[in-house]
Amino acid sequence: MKYQVSQQAAAEVQAACIVVTIDQSGKLSDAAAVIDQASDGFLSKRYEAGDIKGKTAETLLLPGVSGIAAARVLLVGSGKETPNTTNAIKILNAVAAATSKYEGSVALALSELASEALPESWWAEQTAIAYAHASYKFTETKAKPEEEPKQAEAVIWLGGDVDTAFLKGSAIGEGINFAKELGNMPPNICTPTWLAEQAISLTADSALETMILDQEKLAELGAGAFYSVAKGSSEPGKIIVMQYKGTDASEAPHMILGKGITFDTGGISLKPGLKMDEMKYDMCGAASVFGTVKALLALKPKINVLAMVTSAENMPAGHASKPGDVVTSLSGKTIEILNTDAEGRLVLCDALTYGIDNYKPASIVDIATLTGACMAALGEVNSGLFTQDEDMAEQLQTAAKYSNDKVWRLPLEDDYQELLDSNFADMANIGGPLAGATTAACFLSRFTEGTPWAHLDIAGTAWKGGAAKGATGRPVSLLVNYLLNK
């Protein structure tokens, strides 16, 4: 998709479609008023006739009329008030969905919706992300691949200089779609080995170095928590280490760590069969790390990033871990495995230790589809945010608000730690039936060694089930903005 900026008048721009707005009181935007005047009141008459009420993201496609150069007009409702972040993205998604199929170019006269809170550059950035969303469709495993989704050749932005914003939005959109593609891949293809191959393919860019730690090497190192999960499968587990080098090597990297369980049966603590097919999405934390790296490689920010993925299958084989087993983590701490379905924290804790010991990161954010408890608490709207570091909390909440990739901060007080007490090891891997999302975060916090750290539980936001089944690509946008703000 190409993005262009133009100062042409709305009635004069040559395009397959021009997009203009109307609010809920019937007031046309300046660009819409120009078209209305050139067409003898054609747009205002549509409101008077009740064809459109101006509600947020409501659309009405109209044929081109005499007096304007565009072949079609898309009239879009902007609501009662200046759009907030959520409504603005609804508007842009509606626009992209309605216009991305047209051959040629689409002109957007949306700059009038900008505000102090959401400047024109933000609208342009989110426009590129919206068109990336509209262009994505999973076809990789179709017997007869469908035609590529149609998309406009170019988007013409009628307004100020927002070229840089379009570059950023395009990079984030590509990263989101990459994360979706990885998440949607079936688990017989998307194995830990296949994920490692995706990381290696990204190293064609000289800014990225990749190292793969295989299951045997990790066992030799003493990563007993990771090995306890990976050993139950015939597919060997791996920790994938990607280093994005954007500035001087003396600058400590910011670490992002993604859970990559490519299929989660629950192990010996077997999950119910209903919807178990969706457990291929238990690697969406890893997918978001890959998507973030993809965006960073396009944007080339001056920052060092350590991007790690812990990848394994959790299977109920004869040599799988059993409830009651005690394993020794890479840190030396021992763990009583009370539930083999609490495996994500086991693979992550050894990766945290490895990353801290070997790379001394300035900060860490781990991202994981970790707990059903978080999904029950927050649904599909907010990811759970856990941290005791106020600076990191503020940084992540700022990035979440800007990108509308929402988070909600949940408690991580020390009082919860005692729920992980074990009679037979330094800790148990679960804390009982209460506060499950918090005790999972408490478990991980024990392996952060004083490094500024935050945990994102994306169990409710990483994918959608049912008829809309598919990966969402969250929280790539949040992570990219968080890192760029560094």
Side-chain angles (χ1 to χ4, degrees), residues 58-136:
E58 182 185 10
T59 61
L60 178 64
L61 182 64
L62 301 167
V65 292
S66 60
I68 70 167
R72 303 171 184 84
V73 178
L74 184 73
L75 191 56
V76 182
S78 60
K80 289 182 178 180
E81 302 171 347
T82 301
N84 60 21
T85 307
T86 299
N87 287 339
I89 289 177
K90 286 180 181 178
I91 290 168
L92 291 173
N93 284 336
V95 167
T99 63
S100 60
K101 60 188 177 182
Y102 293 127
E103 295 181 3
S105 59
V106 175
L108 305 181
L110 301 176
S111 61
E112 295 172 53
L113 297 178
S115 63
E116 185 176 352
L118 302 178
E120 189 175 355
S121 59
W122 182 91
W123 281 88
E125 177 184 326
Q126 294 300 323
T127 292
I129 295 172
Y131 275 94
H133 276 302
S135 71
Y136 177 78

Side-chain angles (χ1 to χ4, degrees), residues 128-212:
I129 295 172
Y131 275 94
H133 276 302
S135 71
Y136 177 78
K137 188 173 185 180
F138 184 82
T139 60
E140 184 66 26
T141 52
K142 297 281 189 178
K144 293 182 179 179
E146 301 173 17
E147 292 183 12
E148 287 292 321
K150 292 182 180 179
Q151 62 176 6
E153 294 173 11
V155 170
I156 302 171
W157 183 266
L158 302 183
D161 182 5
V162 290
D163 289 328
T164 300
F166 277 127
L167 288 173
K168 180 185 173 189
S170 295
I172 292 174
E174 287 181 16
I176 289 171
N177 284 355
F178 188 45
K180 288 180 184 177
E181 190 75 358
L182 297 181
N184 287 330
M185 200 68 71
N188 59 319
I189 295 174
C190 181
T191 63
T193 298
W194 186 84
L195 274 184
E197 291 169 354
Q198 307 315 300
I200 291 168
S201 69
L202 291 175
T203 57
D205 192 304
S206 60
L208 192 71
E209 290 184 6
T210 296
M211 176 178 66
I212 310 298

Side-chain angles (χ1 to χ4, degrees), residues 198-247:
Q198 307 315 300
I200 291 168
S201 69
L202 291 175
T203 57
D205 192 304
S206 60
L208 192 71
E209 290 184 6
T210 296
M211 176 178 66
I212 310 298
L213 296 169
D214 61 27
Q215 183 171 308
E216 291 74 19
K217 177 64 175 177
L218 289 161
E220 289 175 16
L221 291 172
F226 179 92
Y227 185 72
S228 72
V229 177
K231 72 187 177 93
S233 174
S234 58
E235 292 286 347
K238 303 180 189 303
I239 290 183
I240 301 164
V241 183
M242 296 175 280
Q243 293 184 75
Y244 169 77
K245 298 182 176 182
T247 190

Side-chain angles (χ1 to χ4, degrees), residues 196-443:
E197 291 169 354
Q198 307 315 300
I200 291 168
S201 69
L202 291 175
T203 57
D205 192 304
S206 60
L208 192 71
E209 290 184 6
T210 296
M211 176 178 66
I212 310 298
L213 296 169
D214 61 27
Q215 183 171 308
E216 291 74 19
K217 177 64 175 177
L218 289 161
E220 289 175 16
L221 291 172
F226 179 92
Y227 185 72
S228 72
V229 177
K231 72 187 177 93
S233 174
S234 58
E235 292 286 347
K238 303 180 189 303
I239 290 183
I240 301 164
V241 183
M242 296 175 280
Q243 293 184 75
Y244 169 77
K245 298 182 176 182
T247 190
D248 190 272
S250 63
E251 292 287 333
H254 294 279
M255 177 176 164
I256 54 174
L257 168 63
K259 173 188 170 186
I261 301 297
T262 55
F263 195 77
D264 182 17
T265 67
I268 298 300
S269 305
L270 192 69
K271 291 178 179 290
L274 184 65
K275 294 186 177 180
M276 195 191 281
D277 59 290
E278 294 184 13
M279 287 302 97
K280 71 176 186 175
Y281 292 117
D282 208 22
M283 47 67 67
C284 281
S288 72
V289 168
F290 274 103
T292 300
V293 170
K294 182 89 167 175
L296 292 177
L297 291 174
L299 294 170
K300 295 291 192 299
K302 294 182 178 180
I303 186 176
N304 292 330
V305 176
L306 174 64
M308 294 181 63
V309 164
T310 56
S311 189
E313 286 185 340
N314 187 24
M315 300 292 282
H319 49 286
S321 294
K322 306 171 292 296
D325 284 358
V326 174
V327 298
T328 303
S329 67
L330 185 58
S331 70
K333 298 180 177 79
T334 59
I335 304 164
E336 183 184 12
I337 300 174
L338 296 181
N339 189 320
T340 65
D341 194 25
E343 85 297 331
R345 65 203 73 182
L346 296 174
V347 297
L348 289 170
C349 72
D350 279 346
L352 286 167
T353 299
Y354 186 88
I356 291 169
D357 287 352
N358 290 278
Y359 298 96
K360 305 295 187 291
S363 68
I364 303 172
V365 179
D366 77 69
I367 312 100
T369 50
L370 207 62
T371 66
C374 191
M375 186 186 302
L378 300 179
E380 298 179 345
V381 177
N382 284 278
S383 300
L385 168 62
F386 299 85
T387 184
Q388 289 188 332
D389 188 292
E390 295 303 320
D391 287 341
M392 288 201 71
E394 183 179 356
Q395 291 165 23
L396 287 163
Q397 288 170 323
T398 297
K401 182 178 180 180
Y402 178 88
S403 61
N404 203 44
D405 199 341
K406 296 179 179 180
V407 299
W408 192 266
R409 193 173 179 186
L410 291 171
L412 190 61
E413 287 118 354
D414 291 338
D415 293 348
Y416 290 99
Q417 292 283 356
E418 63 186 35
L419 295 175
L420 295 170
D421 287 350
S422 165
N423 291 339
F424 306 107
D426 295 328
M427 69 194 83
N429 77 323
I430 59 171
L434 302 179
T438 288
T439 54
C442 285
F443 180 94

